[in-house]
Amino acid sequence: MEIVLSGIRSTGKLHLGNYFGALTNFVKLQDMYPCYFFIADYHSLTTHPTPENFEQNVRQVLAEYIACGIDPEKSTLYIQSDVPEVCELYLLLNMNAYVGELERCTSFKEKIRKHPDNINGGLLTYPVLMAADILLHKSTKVPVGKDQEQHLEMARTFAGRFNRMYKCSCFPEPQAFNFGDKLVKIPGLDGSTKMGKSEGSDNALYLHESPEITRKKIMKAVTDSGPIQENQGKPQSVQNLFDIMKVVSKPETLVYFEEEYNKCRIRYGDLKKQLAEDVLIFINPISQRITELLNHKEYLDKMADLGAEKARESARKTIQEVREIIGFRKIQ
Ligand code: TYM
């Protein structure tokens, strides 16, 4: 039986990109396979959160997972740092991860370009920790958005390298997964091609935000002066709004606005108003559930404990096997 695993960093509230790139698939997969979903709080440390923010962000993402439909009794839903076995696997995999390949990783290059004052070792070895997350439970199906594709490729490299080095078949090769044929990338509201937590707050539509702010952000979204020729291509910023509409609105709404655009009759104000309404219809029930869950701290703690217990059981098995393969002394 294939095992599913995926994680989300606890670096802030989740947005529509996280939902459509990852969470919606998690929810479907939990009825089909044994699933491990976790909150990547170790990964979040590369940006040095304060202890208060750290704790709050972890709880927020835990509530968001459950509010979006992850059933902690069905899936194993855990906090990464509750399963410290991952650190041991991370250390061991680091011995066979080469600096050259880590430096060539696109997300590393992008991060050091954006934040030249914080080029830390955790950033460089980020894909190794991610590989450790995946290999710890021997998972093969990893539902992620398009931006994680290269990290998955690296996880396959590390898994294969370990197996060859120790002439074993300890780790299966994980693959990025999406229902449908392509990995998803939800664009931002600021004309950029990716909705992201760290792209500025006007770029992203969060699942847990007041309707007024959501509406305001959409009404402020970048467009242009409008098409001047029938059926002309769309500039990136306008395409982005249509792409978001594609995932939240009814198909006929999209068809209507496509036609308005192609006939040069489009009024971007109307498009944005409709988009805001459709986004809110989609987000509101999730947002309310998040608020309710955040008020039930005890329940959240109980679910985190349950997940930690289940995840550690599987993690311990893998670590024991890996230690034996490498030749560590067996602890009695
Ligand atoms: P993170 O926290 O940046 O994002 C969580 C998930 O959301 C997806 N995603 C998107 N999908 C489509 N469009 C977007 N605009 C968009 N923005 C984010 C991401 O692809 C991801 O699936 N490194 C990972 C966390 C992680 C992980 C793992 C994932 C740590 N260990 C092991 C899988 C397996 C990350 O930073 O995701």
Side-chain angles (χ1 to χ4, degrees):
M1 184 68 150
E2 288 202 78
I3 292 177
V4 171
L5 171 138
S6 198
I8 300 181
R9 266 175 315 155
S10 47
T11 40
K13 294 180 176 182
L14 303 190
H15 50 67
L16 284 185
N18 299 128
Y19 186 88
F20 288 106
L23 273 159
T24 178
N25 288 337
F26 299 0
V27 174
K28 283 192 223 157
L29 284 162
Q30 70 179 347
D31 290 322
M32 303 165 67
Y33 299 96
C35 288
Y36 292 85
F37 299 121
F38 67 97
I39 297 148
D41 59 343
Y42 281 140
H43 278 104
S44 80
L45 290 172
T46 57
T47 51
H48 308 157
T50 62
E52 297 76 40
N53 281 343
F54 181 81
E55 199 195 338
Q56 205 180 330
N57 283 342
V58 169
R59 196 166 320 122
Q60 177 80 25
V61 179
L62 181 59
E64 291 181 320
Y65 260 116
I66 300 174
C68 288
I70 296 300
D71 177 349
E73 313 263 355
K74 207 184 280 175
S75 296
T76 298
L77 175 60
Y78 67 100
I79 299 167
Q80 187 184 31
S81 61
D82 283 346
V83 185
E85 286 77 6
V86 76
C87 299
E88 185 166 356
L89 189 56
Y90 169 52
L91 179 142
L92 298 173
L93 292 175
N94 260 321
M95 303 303 166
N96 307 317
Y98 295 101
V99 172
E101 65 191 337
L102 296 172
E103 280 175 342
R104 280 195 299 278
C105 177
T106 315
S107 63
F108 177 69
K109 289 197 280 194
E110 210 173 284
K111 290 219 167 101
I112 65 173
R113 186 176 53 79
K114 280 193 189 153
H115 306 285
D117 54 332
N118 182 26
I119 308 176
N120 59 60
L123 272 185
L124 183 68
T125 56
Y126 187 105
V128 189
L129 180 54
M130 200 167 142
D133 291 323
I134 297 168
L135 302 178
L136 191 62
H137 302 292
K138 302 199 177 190
S139 43
T140 47
K141 267 193 163 38
V142 185
V144 283
K146 177 101 185 119
D147 60 327
Q148 301 296 319
E149 208 168 23
Q150 193 183 27
H151 291 155
L152 261 294
E153 210 177 292
M154 293 173 86
R156 279 195 292 281
T157 302
F158 301 143
R161 198 174 282 161
F162 183 94
N163 289 348
R164 275 193 302 282
M165 185 160 186
Y166 292 104
K167 299 188 179 50
C168 65
S169 51
C170 179
F171 295 126
E173 290 203 342
Q175 304 288 341
F177 174 81
N178 185 52
F179 288 99
D181 51 354
K182 274 199 268 152
L183 297 182
V184 172
K185 182 157 140 186
I186 301 294
L189 287 175
D190 56 357
S192 72
T193 57
K194 191 188 154 199
M195 186 173 285
K197 288 180 227 163
S198 46
E199 323 293 325
S201 61
D202 282 349
N203 158 292
L205 291 169
Y206 296 103
L207 300 178
H208 195 216
E209 192 152 61
S210 81
E212 295 72 44
I213 296 184
T214 300
R215 210 172 271 127
K216 229 184 237 166
K217 278 189 196 173
I218 295 175
M219 295 314 289
K220 267 201 330 207
V222 181
T223 48
D224 77 345
S225 51
I228 44 174
Q229 253 178 28
E230 287 200 0
N231 300 315
Q232 80 175 59
K234 299 185 187 80
Q236 185 69 53
S237 56
V238 174
Q239 183 62 50
N240 287 358
L241 297 181
F242 276 90
D243 284 350
I244 299 174
M245 190 168 247
K246 208 176 282 168
V247 291
V248 293
S249 301
K250 292 193 181 124
E252 54 269 30
T253 308
L254 185 69
V255 169
Y256 170 78
F257 283 102
E258 288 278 7
E259 196 165 316
E260 291 296 288
Y261 184 88
N262 287 334
K263 294 262 173 347
C264 299
R265 291 189 303 240
I266 188 128
R267 288 160 49 152
Y268 290 126
D270 291 348
L271 172 86
K272 289 176 177 179
K273 252 188 230 152
Q274 182 68 48
L275 183 60
E277 286 324 301
D278 293 344
V279 165
L280 286 173
I281 289 173
F282 177 78
I283 283 179
N284 275 344
I286 299 178
S287 188
Q288 279 163 20
R289 280 200 296 276
I290 297 171
T291 305
E292 278 164 30
L293 284 159
L294 284 172
N295 287 329
H296 286 88
K297 186 172 174 303
E298 269 169 34
Y299 170 76
L300 291 178
D301 283 341
K302 210 168 114 194
M303 292 304 110
D305 287 345
L306 173 70
E309 200 181 308
K310 289 196 275 180
R312 285 196 86 173
E313 198 182 314
S314 144
R316 281 198 199 107
K317 268 193 214 143
T318 306
I319 289 295
Q320 200 177 348
E321 184 185 347
V322 168
R323 288 178 66 102
E324 270 173 38
I325 289 171
I326 295 180
F328 284 100
R329 188 182 77 84
K330 214 171 181 171
I331 303 169
Q332 295 308 321

